Amino acid sequence: MQDIADITKIEDTVKQVLAEVLGNGTTVEMIRSDGNMVEEYGLDSLQAISFLLSIEDAFGIQLDFESLSLDLLRSVREFGEYVSSQLAGAE
């Protein structure tokens, strides 16, 4: 099980990747953990693909795109929890 510090690091990395992919002036500091990546920050379908591929690179994991739900992009926190579960499964 990931501890709070690990989850915070995961969320921070997710925010950093999101800010880079958005490329619209949104900074890491502007991204809230409970902010909706699609509705609030404007992540579109092409950016979502880039985001997911960048997440794979950042964490060294393979995401299962077949079972990946768009609901996971509802918030940084929810997506961070998903990444945490993927990291735990890779150990």
Side-chain angles (χ1 to χ4, degrees):
M1 176 114 190
Q2 304 278 339
D3 65 21
I4 300 287
D6 289 340
I7 292 173
T8 300
K9 286 180 191 174
I10 290 169
E11 282 187 19
D12 288 346
T13 302
V14 169
K15 289 177 185 180
Q16 182 177 0
V17 170
L18 180 60
E20 290 171 7
V21 168
L22 289 173
N24 63 3
T26 302
T27 64
V28 173
E29 295 77 22
M30 296 167 74
I31 299 173
R32 299 185 342 268
S33 292
D34 62 346
N36 186 306
M37 290 190 269
V38 175
E39 292 177 13
E40 204 165 322
Y41 301 112
L43 187 71
D44 66 28
S45 58
L46 292 176
Q47 290 170 327
I49 293 167
S50 179
F51 172 74
L52 295 171
L53 294 173
S54 295
I55 288 293
E56 286 185 328
D57 290 343
F59 291 101
I61 58 175
Q62 284 289 120
L63 299 176
D64 181 7
F65 293 104
E66 296 289 321
S67 67
L68 197 63
S69 167
L70 240 130
D71 286 341
L72 291 172
L73 299 178
R74 198 168 284 171
S75 75
V76 169
R77 181 174 296 121
E78 285 183 48
F79 191 76
E81 290 170 2
Y82 171 75
V83 169
S84 177
S85 73
Q86 295 299 301
L87 289 168
E91 293 177 352

